[in-house]
Every structure is written in C-alpha cells, then in structure tokens.
Amino acid sequence: RQRPPGTIRVRMATWAVVVALFWAFLEGSNASSVTPKFDSISSDLQCSGCTFFTKNLRTWVHRRSRSWRKMGNKKREKWVRKSLQKACSKIPEQVCTYKSKGKTEYADFGELMKKGGSHSGLSMSGDIKKELQTVCTELASEYASEIEEGYLSVKRPDKYNVHKDVCVEITGACGAKRKMIAASMATADEDVEDISADLGDLLAKEDL
C-alpha cells in the first residue's frame, strides 16, 4: 500500500537527522585525530603538557634574541622550525605527575625532590615520560604554522606570547577558555541526546 505524504515527509526528515548526526560524528573524529594523545589526557595534564612544550620552545627560539632584528624572515622561519624540532628533544630523565593546588601536573621528578616537602598524588613510570614526549611532539607538529606566523610577526621573540597563543587561545588547554570549552562540550552532548530522543519518537510514530 502507498504511504500517505505526511509519512513520507517524516521518513525524509528522519534520514536527514541521521545523516546530519553521522557527518557531525565524522567531523568530530577527524578534528581530534591530529593530536590523539593530547586529546586523551585530562584537562589538567593538557595544560601542563602544553606549558612544558611552549616553555622549551621559548628557550630555544630566544637563543637568537640578540640577532633577531638582523635576521631576515627566511632565517627567522628556519630558526623557529629548528626550535620546534628541538623543543621536545630534551625530556627529563624521570617524569612524574603530582597534585599542585588541586591540579595534576607533569614534573621533573629530580627537580621536584630538590624542592623538598611532601607531594600528593605522586606517580612515576616510563609511560608518563612517553606520554609527555608524544604530547609535546603532537603540539609542535599540529601548531607549527601558527607558531611560525606568531614569531615572524614580531621584532623580538619575547614580544610573542607563544604560551598564551597555543595553550590558551588555540587549544584552550589553559585558562578560562578551557572551562568554556568543557561547558560547550557538555551542552553538545545534551543536544545529541535530545536529537536521539526526537529521532526515536519519529521512528516510533512511523511504525504506528
């Protein structure tokens, strides 16, 4: 028997919702696949790992601070690229995580012990060092273009705040933006649940 026009419209609307959800899922998967390790760790460690990366990068780039003005853009770009490669080359021999002011952070275990005192939530293993290495490498690779552009836009390396640019503005790993992203993700999850419920209702009506 032929379905009434209203039923056909409901079926088309249903499939439109299904297709939209499918593409949204694919886009979300693709967006997170470029930095899988960074995306998989806690928000505290994302901030700490990003801070570690930008601190090391800044140390390398600033080695040419005195000659920066005399360097042309090509030489500056070449030096920034070399610094990006070197930024993750010196990971502390013993990397640990610990609680600092309620947040979990990466730390050089040897340096942490020199400070003395007790440290809560202390954890140390070879996997943590590998994790930090991977996080650092992912950030250096994924955001190289933005970092190069940032350094090439200033007359002195210290005029470009690479930590703010990468860790706060771009990734949202540190600062208030991290809370905003977490809130938006929670809202998005609720929207998906609502759409799924509506889809279930549409399918149920179609079967009646």
Side-chain angles (χ1 to χ4, degrees):
R1 62 185 178 87
Q2 287 188 332
R3 292 180 180 272
T7 302
I8 295 174
R9 284 196 295 270
V10 169
R11 177 181 285 275
M12 292 176 65
T14 299
W15 280 109
V17 172
V18 171
V19 171
L21 286 171
F22 175 73
W23 281 110
F25 172 78
L26 287 182
E27 289 175 1
S29 299
N30 290 336
S32 63
S33 63
V34 291
T35 54
K37 179 57 69 176
F38 178 76
D39 294 335
S40 70
I41 59 179
S42 70
S43 58
D44 286 347
L45 288 180
Q46 284 181 345
C47 181
S48 182
C50 191
T51 300
F52 171 85
F53 160 62
T54 54
K55 181 180 179 180
N56 280 12
L57 175 63
R58 196 166 54 240
T59 299
W60 275 96
V61 175
H62 287 204
R63 291 185 178 187
R64 292 291 179 89
S65 292
R66 292 184 179 180
S67 59
W68 193 259
R69 286 179 176 271
K70 298 178 181 179
M71 296 167 65
N73 277 348
K74 287 187 176 180
K75 287 187 177 180
R76 290 179 183 179
E77 185 177 4
K78 185 178 180 180
W79 178 245
V80 173
R81 287 181 179 177
K82 182 177 181 179
S83 298
L84 282 165
Q85 294 173 355
K86 295 289 186 179
C88 306
S89 63
K90 290 188 177 181
I91 305 295
E93 187 63 30
Q94 293 180 306
V95 180
C96 66
T97 57
Y98 76 108
K99 288 282 187 180
S100 176
K101 298 179 180 179
K103 297 180 179 179
T104 305
E105 297 182 4
Y106 291 112
D108 180 335
F109 180 73
E111 292 298 320
L112 192 64
M113 291 299 100
K114 288 180 181 179
K115 295 179 180 179
S118 59
H119 305 283
S120 63
L122 186 64
S123 177
M124 185 174 64
S125 70
D127 290 339
I128 296 176
K129 180 178 180 178
K130 291 178 182 178
E131 180 179 271
L132 179 58
Q133 175 80 63
T134 303
V135 166
C136 186
T137 303
E138 286 181 351
L139 293 173
S141 175
E142 178 60 19
Y143 303 110
S145 298
E146 290 85 348
I147 292 170
E148 287 173 16
E149 184 179 345
Y151 274 116
L152 292 178
S153 68
V154 295
K155 294 182 179 180
R156 297 203 320 259
D158 60 350
K159 291 296 183 180
Y160 172 54
N161 191 332
V162 63
H163 178 269
K164 180 180 178 182
D165 194 20
V166 178
C167 303
V168 178
E169 298 297 336
I170 298 177
T171 65
C174 302
K177 191 173 182 179
R178 179 175 61 176
K179 296 180 180 178
M180 292 172 61
I181 290 176
S184 65
M185 289 178 66
T187 302
D189 288 341
E190 291 176 1
D191 290 342
V192 170
E193 290 178 1
D194 291 341
I195 291 173
S196 297
D198 292 340
L199 179 58
D201 291 340
L202 284 171
L203 292 173
K205 289 178 181 178
E206 186 179 354
D207 290 337
L208 292 177

